[in-house]
Amino acid sequence: MSITNNLETINSKLPEEVKLVAVSKTKPVSELMEAYDAGQRIMGENKVQEMVEKYEKMPKDIQWHMIGHVQRNKVKYMAEFVDLIHGVDSLKLLKEINKQAKKHERVIDCLFQLKIAEEDSKFGMSAKDAKSLISSEAFLELKNIRITGLMGMATFTDDTDQVRSEFKRLKTIFEDLKPIASNNCDLKIVSMGMSGDYAIAIEEGSNMVRIGSRIFGARD
Ligand SMILES: *Cc1c(COP(=O)(O)O)cnc(C)c1O
C-alpha cells in the first residue's frame, strides 16, 4: 500500500472532529512530500533537530508537532515555527518554551503529557501535578505559552481492556481539569491513539491521533 492509500484509508475511518498527526519520524522528506501531496498538513516528529531539517526543506503551510520528550536546550531551535508541543511535563520546560516563544513574539500551544500507562515510563505528569501546576501563580505568569490539552500513551500490549482503561483515565483527567480555564489554559485537545490503538482511543474520546507506521510503514 502507498502512503497516499494509507492516508485515504485512515481518513475514511476518522470522525470529523478527530485530527490526524502523521508521525513522520525517521522517514525521508520524499515520503513526507507524498503525504503532503495527498493533503496531509500536520506532521509529528520526536527529535527537534530532525524536525528543523525537514521544516527547512518543506512547504511552509505544514503544521509541525513535536511529539517526543523535549530537552530544554533544544527548545530554541523550534520556537520560531513549532505548532504544538505534545510532551510537556514540567514547569521548568514550560518556562523555557515561554522564554523562547517570547523572543519570537508568539504564543506556543502545548499539551501536558500525562502518565496513564501501568508500565514504567519515564515521562509524564500525574493528574495531581498537572492540576496544581495550572492553578499556580508561576504558571499564570507565562504569557507566551498556552496549554490546549492533554496527551497520553497507553501501555504497549495486546490487552485491549487495559489500553481502553488507560485511555478512559486520560479522558477523565481531561474532564476534571477542563473547568480550570485561564488566559493560558484552555483544554480542548485529547491527544491519544497511535497505529495500533487509535480506534480504541477514538471510542474513548480522543480528538487527535498520532499515527506513524500505518501511514509510512514500519520504522527501522
Ligand atoms: C512514534 C510515536 C507515535 C506513532 O507510533 P506508530 O505506532 O508508528 O503509529 C505516536 N506517538 C508518539 C509519542 C510516538 O513517539
Side-chain angles (χ1 to χ4, degrees):
M1 284 286 266
S2 70
I3 290 167
T4 306
N5 283 333
N6 293 342
L7 275 169
E8 222 167 81
T9 305
I10 292 166
N11 277 319
S12 72
K13 292 183 203 160
L14 296 184
E16 210 181 334
E17 72 278 8
V18 179
K19 284 195 176 171
L20 172 62
V21 179
V23 176
S24 49
K25 61 192 186 193
T26 78
K27 299 296 178 181
V29 165
S30 58
E31 293 187 13
L32 276 69
M33 275 313 298
E34 187 178 337
Y36 180 87
D37 289 336
Q40 181 63 29
R41 289 295 179 274
I42 309 178
M43 306 285 177
E45 291 283 334
N46 70 340
K47 294 206 168 72
V48 173
Q49 193 55 44
E50 185 177 342
M51 186 170 78
V52 170
E53 282 167 23
K54 288 172 174 172
Y55 162 74
E56 284 168 353
K57 290 179 186 150
M58 296 191 65
K60 294 298 171 279
D61 61 340
I62 294 173
Q63 296 159 40
W64 293 96
H65 286 200
M66 174 43 61
I67 62 168
H69 184 73
V70 180
Q71 287 170 286
R72 265 178 293 147
N73 61 356
K74 302 277 173 65
V75 173
K76 57 177 175 286
Y77 302 114
M78 63 174 168
E80 183 187 352
F81 69 89
V82 68
D83 186 68
L84 183 64
I85 303 177
H86 288 235
V88 175
D89 64 358
S90 73
L91 177 61
K92 260 183 162 177
L93 175 58
L94 213 44
K95 280 183 168 169
E96 177 62 17
I97 297 168
N98 187 72
K99 180 177 152 192
Q100 299 301 333
K102 197 169 179 179
K103 286 186 187 166
H104 295 281
E105 297 177 334
R106 55 184 301 241
V107 174
I108 296 181
D109 287 350
C110 300
L111 308 180
F112 278 148
Q113 181 170 354
L114 272 285
K115 194 184 280 202
I116 52 167
E118 310 246 311
E119 69 188 357
D120 263 350
S121 81
K122 279 181 285 182
F123 307 119
M125 323 171 74
S126 68
K128 198 162 155 254
D129 289 347
K131 192 169 195 166
S132 61
L133 179 46
I134 55 174
S135 317
S136 72
E137 289 288 333
F139 174 78
L140 294 171
E141 281 168 16
L142 305 175
K143 308 277 187 237
N144 293 79
I145 56 95
R146 183 167 48 213
I147 301 296
T148 56
L150 306 181
M151 180 272 225
M153 279 199 275
T155 304
F156 191 71
T157 171
D158 291 335
D159 183 348
T160 54
D161 289 343
Q162 184 180 346
V163 169
R164 189 178 293 281
S165 81
E166 291 173 0
F167 286 148
K168 264 196 208 316
R169 194 178 307 158
L170 186 64
K171 184 63 172 17
T172 303
I173 298 167
F174 174 82
E175 295 300 341
D176 181 43
L177 299 184
K178 207 169 145 55
I180 314 178
S182 63
N183 281 338
N184 55 355
C185 187
D186 181 14
L187 301 183
K188 291 181 295 238
I189 299 171
V190 184
S191 167
M192 60 185 188
M194 313 185 359
S195 289
D197 57 20
Y198 75 91
I200 301 175
I202 291 169
E203 286 169 9
E204 297 306 329
S206 168
N207 58 15
M208 184 173 280
V209 291
R210 310 175 309 271
I211 299 180
S213 43
R214 279 274 178 104
I215 298 173
F216 296 102
R219 290 176 295 274
D220 295 332

